[in-house]
Amino acid sequence: MTLFPYLVAGWILLAGIYGVVRSRHLVHTVVCVSIAQSSTYVLLLAIGYQRHATAPIFGPANPPDSPVVDPVVQAMTLTDIVVSATVTALLLALVILVAKRHGTVVPDRLHALRG
Amino acid sequence: MGALPALVVVWPIAGACALLVLGRILPRPAVDGLALLIAAVLVFLTVRLLVDANRGPVVTWAGNWQPMPHRTVGIVLVADRFAAALVVLIAGLTAVALLFGWHYFDNLRAHYPALVLLFAAGMCGFALTGDLFDMFVFFELMSVAAYALTGLEIEDPESVQGGLNFGVINSLGAYLCLFGIGLLYAHTGQLGLAQLAGVLAGQQRETVVVVAFALISTGWLVKAAVTPFHFWLADAHAVAPAPVCVLFSGVMAPLGVYGVARLYWATFTVAIPSVAVHRMSLVLAVLTMVVGTVMCMLQRHLKRMLAYSTIAHSGMFLLGVSTLSPAGIAASAIYLCGHAAVKGALFLMAGALLAHYESLDEHRLYGRARRHRLLGVLFVTAAVLLAGFPWSATGLGKALLEESGHSVVLGVLVIAVSAGTGGVVLRAGLRIFWGLGRRPATADDAEETTGAREESDTDTPPGRTPATMLTAVLMLLLAAVTLGLPGVLGAGTGSAAGAFCDPAGYTARALHTVPAALPPAPPEVGWTGIGLGLAALSTTAAVLVAVLGLARVSRATPAGPVRMLHRLHSGHLGDYSAWLVTGCALLTGLLWLP
């Protein structure tokens, strides 16, 4: 196990959140949210990865005791991608509505909710 | 009946699908009737589950992958009494929300009931599951349904912005949480709560475990709207339709606190020192209670006022957890029942006001609702119950919280929170329905949301409040009163809380489906003389707060730190995200300190 992929995952997460904090366009905000989420893909795949291991599908070429990568984290990543697609689609739909109702997509100019 | 926990999750999802398909064909009353029927069946199923769970925990292994002595690969749903009771609460509030929604929305066909049912399914799954990754998935299921429900009124600018703020902040919280789950899995190779407890039993204060717990707790506490993660809640509650707010405020936010408590007791009692968890939850709880109460007292937008009082109450639930004792858990649980019922009724009445007067501004509504006498009486009653009236569920929970804390300062704080939030709502009720006090100024301040020009969710003509709405409000208030009567929630809650705080018991139930060897002694739960006295005291204080509020001519612009606090709630996504990261760092630091 090497530390590198974990550091990459942590970096991507922080970069995504930083992007949301500094965002000047709501579509950019939503993309940054997806970037923050993509850090979890890197993390999960890094956890399951093994050198010289194959996909977790057993058959004649790949007998049951041969080394394979962890299928649990792969399943988790797939679930995560589905969640991400749903959330991103919903947030983008809301951004379109914000653009229609407020006439702007700049977070600094949204003043409907304060205090 | 082992399949019941799974059925509780699957039934509302199936119902939502059926509604979406049939919604195109059936007329409106048939869609509403069908939705209500599905919710009623869900209530029946959950009550049945509670009855079964009272005899012994109901455990379901998905796909019948039963655990073997040295290996488990299955995913489990564990309905102990506590989780089962929570699921009953979810189902009950769902039914009430659908009942109230009967005459409420005019232009929405099957989408509203279908989303509410999906939301309920996510919450039920979150409460029942015994698997960490499943917790995340159900968390996201309820979140996505909740974002959509918040932005339901797509014509309204505030509504879509509130939905967006809610969505972005909760998603970021969820990803931090998933990051923690990943780290934990990397460290232990397990995802089941009971299995994790087994692996972590031999380890103390491993850095990666502390960080993982902090990240996961951040995710759940974002949902619980604990300061400084609370900003989204006021925005979301202010704009979501009233019946949706009942679910948001009544169960969704408290579920976050439940998630942390469940995780700690099922998994981390050995791996994280109890003093660290106590410190973390106590600091955040006190912070949340203070910020929530102060912000609540500054509001004139009715639904925002109720939202901030929910934040303050979220702090009270966390305060109960911070005692790390069955007594504290029992207190939080009873307070939750009272809070859910009273706050739900108040949100519904705010919704009724909005339907009649197209405004939620306390100042502009001054004296306008004099015709609705019954609604006025109910509103004032609910406000008094919120303050912790003796022999009500809120009063009992509050009294138990004060006693379980074993600290005079915390006791005074709990009374102040109850009196402050109850008193402000009472003030608003007396102004709006009875026209008491001086007429408040209606000038707008650019720094606050007044709710003066809210669009109604409905075009119900102004006049009588529909019977379905009144029934929903009455049912909730009746529940708040009866649940607090001596003997109703007493012994059962005590022993359920005792079992909840028993890690060995949870592992035994989840993995071996046999009762724990030595059930811990349940705490005493019930009214005491001191409790009644304190309940009366906080009610009196609330009336005092209301009278003082009414007597003041016009509100001077808040100065100093209060104004600063007011300005922090900027409605800006970037600010909220920055606070999220700050809070996560604070939480980790509090857990890390020796």
Side-chain angles (χ1 to χ4, degrees):
Chain A
M1 185 189 111
T2 147
L3 200 57
F4 184 63
Y6 293 89
L7 292 179
V8 171
W11 178 257
I12 299 175
L13 180 70
L14 290 178
I17 297 177
Y18 180 77
V20 176
V21 173
R22 298 287 295 168
S23 178
R24 282 160 197 278
H25 194 292
L26 285 178
V27 174
H28 173 265
T29 310
V30 174
V31 172
C32 286
V33 171
S34 317
I35 289 175
Q37 173 143 40
S38 59
S39 73
T40 57
Y41 310 153
V42 177
L43 176 77
L44 290 173
L45 293 180
I47 291 167
Y49 180 74
Q50 286 190 48
R51 224 170 265 282
H52 308 302
T54 57
I57 303 163
F58 298 114
N62 204 15
D65 53 351
S66 56
V68 292
V69 298
D70 187 350
V72 173
V73 284
Q74 301 198 345
M76 283 164 76
T77 312
L78 280 177
T79 316
D80 197 12
I81 290 172
V82 175
V83 168
S84 161
T86 320
V87 170
T88 310
L90 199 74
L91 291 182
L92 284 175
L94 283 170
V95 170
I96 292 175
L97 288 169
V98 168
K100 271 192 195 158
R101 305 292 162 224
H102 291 260
T104 176
V105 280
V106 182
D108 296 342
R109 292 203 199 125
L110 296 174
H111 294 311
L113 298 165
R114 325 200 104 184
Chain B
M1 221 172 115
L4 213 44
L7 200 58
V8 164
V9 181
V10 172
W11 172 256
I13 297 181
C17 296
L19 275 176
L20 282 179
V21 173
L22 295 175
R24 296 180 183 283
I25 319 164
L26 293 177
R28 176 64 199 273
V31 171
D32 280 347
L34 186 61
L36 210 52
L37 185 70
I38 293 168
V41 173
L42 182 64
V43 172
F44 170 75
L45 289 176
T46 53
V47 170
R48 183 71 205 281
L49 180 62
L50 183 60
V51 171
D52 284 3
N54 262 331
R55 282 192 228 114
V58 187
V59 177
T60 307
W61 288 89
N64 210 18
W65 286 90
Q66 297 281 349
M68 287 173 280
H70 298 293
R71 177 186 347 172
T72 51
V73 289
I75 296 172
V76 69
L77 292 171
V78 185
D80 58 4
R81 263 196 287 179
F82 207 84
L86 206 50
V87 171
V88 171
L89 180 68
I90 295 167
L93 287 185
T94 306
V96 168
L98 287 174
L99 178 68
F100 187 83
W102 186 281
H103 272 288
Y104 198 64
F105 299 105
D106 301 299
N107 51 358
L108 297 157
R109 292 182 65 84
H111 291 92
Y112 164 69
L115 278 170
V116 167
L117 286 172
L118 274 182
F119 185 41
M123 292 194 289
C124 289
F126 186 80
L128 291 178
T129 186
D131 181 274
L132 199 47
F133 187 67
D134 267 21
M135 270 182 123
F136 168 76
V137 174
F138 283 122
F139 182 82
E140 283 288 8
L141 176 60
M142 71 167 150
S143 299
V144 170
Y147 309 152
L149 282 170
T150 310
L152 206 54
E153 293 154 53
I154 52 173
E155 304 297 321
D156 180 12
E158 297 183 0
S159 176
V160 286
Q161 194 196 341
L164 188 68
N165 284 0
F166 179 18
V168 169
I169 299 303
N170 271 259
S171 300
L172 287 179
Y175 304 151
L176 289 174
C177 175
L178 182 58
F179 215 87
I181 293 173
L183 288 180
L184 208 55
Y185 180 74
H187 185 66
T188 60
Q190 295 290 351
L191 286 170
L193 296 181
Q195 292 93 314
L196 275 168
V199 179
L200 292 175
Q203 309 171 349
Q204 269 211 327
R205 290 191 65 83
E206 294 259 358
T207 306
V208 64
V209 175
V210 173
V211 171
F213 182 70
L215 287 173
I216 300 171
S217 302
T218 304
W220 298 164
L221 290 180
V222 167
K223 188 61 82 183
V226 163
T227 308
F229 312 126
H230 67 281
F231 296 93
W232 64 268
L233 185 135
D235 294 355
H237 281 53
V239 300
V244 176
C245 286
V246 174
L247 286 169
F248 280 11
S249 187
V251 276
M252 184 183 75
L255 266 183
V257 178
Y258 165 83
V260 174
R262 170 65 84 198
L263 192 65
Y264 173 69
W265 268 291
T267 307
F268 283 98
T269 38
V270 180
I272 310 263
S274 58
V275 58
V277 177
H278 170 69
R279 178 175 48 215
M280 181 272 282
S281 43
L282 185 65
V283 169
L284 292 183
V286 170
L287 203 60
T288 310
M289 285 158 73
V290 172
V291 170
T293 310
V294 171
M295 287 304 295
C296 176
M297 298 179 82
L298 292 176
Q299 296 302 315
R300 55 193 263 203
H301 183 299
L302 259 188
K303 270 176 24 189
R304 269 181 103 82
M305 182 188 291
L306 296 175
Y308 281 113
S309 91
T310 295
I311 293 172
H313 292 171
S314 219
M316 307 240 296
F317 304 135
L318 196 59
L319 185 70
V321 173
S322 79
T323 62
L324 300 184
S325 67
I329 291 292
S332 285
I334 292 178
Y335 194 69
L336 169 60
C337 294
H339 154 89
V342 174
K343 198 61 67 63
L346 282 168
F347 268 117
L348 291 183
M349 285 186 274
L353 275 177
L354 181 59
H356 290 309
Y357 301 104
E358 305 227 327
S359 172
L360 281 171
D361 181 5
E362 180 194 339
H363 293 184
R364 282 196 175 76
L365 281 172
Y366 174 83
R368 276 179 68 192
R370 284 206 182 91
R371 284 182 304 128
H372 297 282
R373 280 288 178 209
L374 178 58
L375 214 52
V377 171
L378 291 177
F379 196 95
V380 170
T381 313
V384 173
L385 288 177
L386 191 66
F389 194 71
W391 293 293
S392 69
T394 35
L396 177 57
K398 187 186 72 64
L400 291 170
L401 268 177
E402 285 147 7
E403 287 166 20
S404 68
H406 300 295
S407 152
V408 179
V409 179
L410 289 181
V412 170
L413 185 63
V414 169
I415 291 178
V417 170
S418 301
T421 53
V424 171
V425 176
L426 185 61
R427 181 197 73 197
L430 291 175
R431 268 191 185 147
I432 294 170
F433 290 99
W434 311 88
L436 292 187
R438 305 229 192 136
R439 178 176 288 278
T442 52
D444 283 345
D445 181 346
E447 289 295 332
E448 69 179 346
T449 307
T450 59
R453 281 170 292 278
E454 293 284 327
E455 282 179 39
S456 171
D457 309 322
T458 152
D459 53 31
T460 310
R464 290 168 59 83
T465 314
T468 42
M469 289 190 188
L470 278 180
T471 314
V473 173
L474 273 173
M475 274 164 54
L476 285 173
L477 286 182
L478 217 57
V481 175
T482 45
L483 289 178
L485 292 178
V488 177
L489 278 182
T493 317
S495 60
F500 183 82
C501 301
D502 175 23
Y506 185 82
T507 307
R509 289 192 295 275
L511 289 183
H512 315 300
T513 59
V514 288
L518 270 176
E524 289 287 322
V525 173
W527 283 105
T528 58
I530 301 174
L532 281 174
L534 292 174
L537 178 68
S538 74
T539 313
T540 320
V543 173
L544 209 64
V545 168
V547 169
L548 284 177
L550 288 174
R552 210 149 47 142
V553 182
S554 74
R555 194 184 53 179
T557 317
V562 173
R563 184 165 181 80
M564 283 268 292
L565 186 66
H566 205 278
R567 293 189 67 160
L568 284 183
H569 298 75
S570 58
H572 193 292
L573 266 175
D575 295 356
Y576 291 5
S577 317
W579 279 112
L580 173 69
V581 179
T582 315
C584 184
L586 172 73
L587 202 157
T588 315
L590 287 171
L591 280 175
W592 207 316
L593 287 176

